[in-house]
Coordinates of all heavy atoms in Angstrom, one line a residue:
Chain A
I76 N 107.4 98.6 87.8 CA 107.7 99.2 86.4 C 109.0 100.0 86.6 O 109.6 100.1 85.4 CB 106.5 100.2 86.1 CG1 106.2 101.2 87.3 CG2 105.3 99.5 85.7 CD1 105.2 102.3 86.8
M77 N 109.5 100.4 87.7 CA 110.8 101.1 87.7 C 111.5 100.8 89.1 O 110.7 100.8 90.2 CB 110.5 102.6 87.6 CG 110.2 103.1 86.1 SD 111.6 102.9 85.0 CE 112.6 104.3 85.5
S78 N 112.7 100.8 89.1 CA 113.5 100.8 90.2 C 114.6 101.9 90.1 O 115.1 102.0 89.0 CB 114.2 99.4 90.5 OG 115.0 99.0 89.5
I79 N 115.0 102.5 91.2 CA 116.0 103.6 91.2 C 116.8 103.5 92.4 O 116.2 103.4 93.5 CB 115.4 104.9 90.9 CG1 116.6 106.0 90.6 CG2 114.5 105.3 91.9 CD1 116.1 107.3 90.0
Y80 N 118.1 103.6 92.4 CA 118.9 103.4 93.6 C 119.9 104.7 93.8 O 120.4 104.8 95.0 CB 119.8 102.2 93.3 CG 119.0 101.0 93.1 CD1 118.8 100.5 91.8 CD2 118.5 100.2 94.1 CE1 118.0 99.3 91.5 CE2 117.7 99.0 93.8 CZ 117.5 98.7 92.5 OH 116.7 97.6 92.3
S81 N 120.1 105.5 92.9 CA 121.1 106.6 93.0 C 120.3 107.9 92.6 O 119.4 107.9 91.8 CB 122.3 106.4 92.3 OG 122.0 106.2 90.9
N82 N 120.8 109.0 93.1 CA 120.2 110.3 92.7 C 120.2 110.5 91.3 O 121.2 110.1 90.5 CB 121.0 111.4 93.5 CG 120.7 111.6 94.8 OD1 119.4 111.5 95.2 ND2 121.5 112.0 95.7
G83 N 119.2 111.3 90.8 CA 119.2 111.6 89.4 C 118.0 111.0 88.7 O 117.0 110.6 89.3
D84 N 118.1 110.8 87.4 CA 117.0 110.4 86.6 C 117.3 109.1 86.0 O 118.4 108.7 85.8 CB 116.7 111.3 85.4 CG 116.1 112.7 85.9 OD1 116.0 112.8 87.1 OD2 115.9 113.4 85.0
K85 N 116.2 108.2 85.8 CA 116.5 106.9 85.2 C 115.3 106.8 84.3 O 114.1 106.8 84.7 CB 116.5 105.7 86.2 CG 116.6 104.3 85.7 CD 116.6 103.3 86.7 CE 116.6 101.9 86.1 NZ 116.5 100.8 87.0
E86 N 115.6 106.6 83.0 CA 114.5 106.4 82.0 C 114.4 105.1 81.5 O 115.3 104.3 81.2 CB 115.0 107.4 80.9 CG 113.8 107.5 79.8 CD 114.2 108.6 78.7 OE1 114.8 109.7 79.1 OE2 114.0 108.4 77.6
D87 N 113.1 104.7 81.2 CA 112.8 103.4 80.6 C 111.6 103.6 79.7 O 110.5 103.6 80.3 CB 112.6 102.4 81.7 CG 112.3 100.9 81.2 OD1 112.4 100.8 79.9 OD2 112.1 100.0 81.9
G88 N 111.7 103.7 78.5 CA 110.7 104.0 77.6 C 109.9 105.3 77.9 O 110.5 106.3 78.1
R89 N 108.7 105.3 78.1 CA 107.9 106.4 78.5 C 108.0 106.8 80.0 O 107.4 107.9 80.3 CB 106.4 106.2 78.1 CG 106.1 106.0 76.6 CD 104.7 106.0 76.3 NE 104.1 104.8 76.9 CZ 103.1 105.0 77.8 NH1 102.7 106.1 78.4 NH2 102.5 103.9 78.3
F90 N 108.7 106.0 80.7 CA 108.7 106.2 82.1 C 110.1 106.8 82.6 O 111.1 106.4 82.0 CB 108.6 104.8 83.0 CG 107.2 104.3 82.6 CD1 107.1 103.2 81.8 CD2 106.0 104.7 83.4 CE1 105.8 102.6 81.7 CE2 104.9 104.2 83.1 CZ 104.6 103.1 82.3
T91 N 110.1 107.8 83.5 CA 111.3 108.3 84.0 C 111.2 108.4 85.6 O 110.2 109.0 86.0 CB 111.6 109.7 83.6 OG1 111.8 109.5 82.1 CG2 112.7 110.3 84.2
A92 N 111.9 107.7 86.3 CA 112.1 107.9 87.7 C 113.1 108.9 88.2 O 114.2 109.0 87.5 CB 112.3 106.4 88.4
Q93 N 112.8 109.7 89.1 CA 113.6 110.7 89.6 C 113.8 110.7 91.0 O 112.8 110.4 91.8 CB 113.2 112.2 89.3 CG 112.8 112.4 87.9 CD 112.2 113.8 87.5 OE1 111.3 114.2 88.2 NE2 112.8 114.5 86.5
L94 N 115.1 110.7 91.5 CA 115.4 110.5 92.9 C 116.2 111.7 93.5 O 117.2 112.0 92.9 CB 116.1 109.2 93.2 CG 116.6 108.9 94.6 CD1 115.4 108.8 95.6 CD2 117.3 107.7 94.5

Side-chain angles (χ1 to χ4, degrees):
Chain A
I76 52 172
M77 290 287 287
S78 60
I79 186 166
Y80 305 94
S81 54
N82 278 329
D84 294 0
K85 179 182 178 183
E86 187 175 318
D87 184 0
R89 295 187 296 114
F90 299 99
T91 299
Q93 299 175 318
L94 175 60

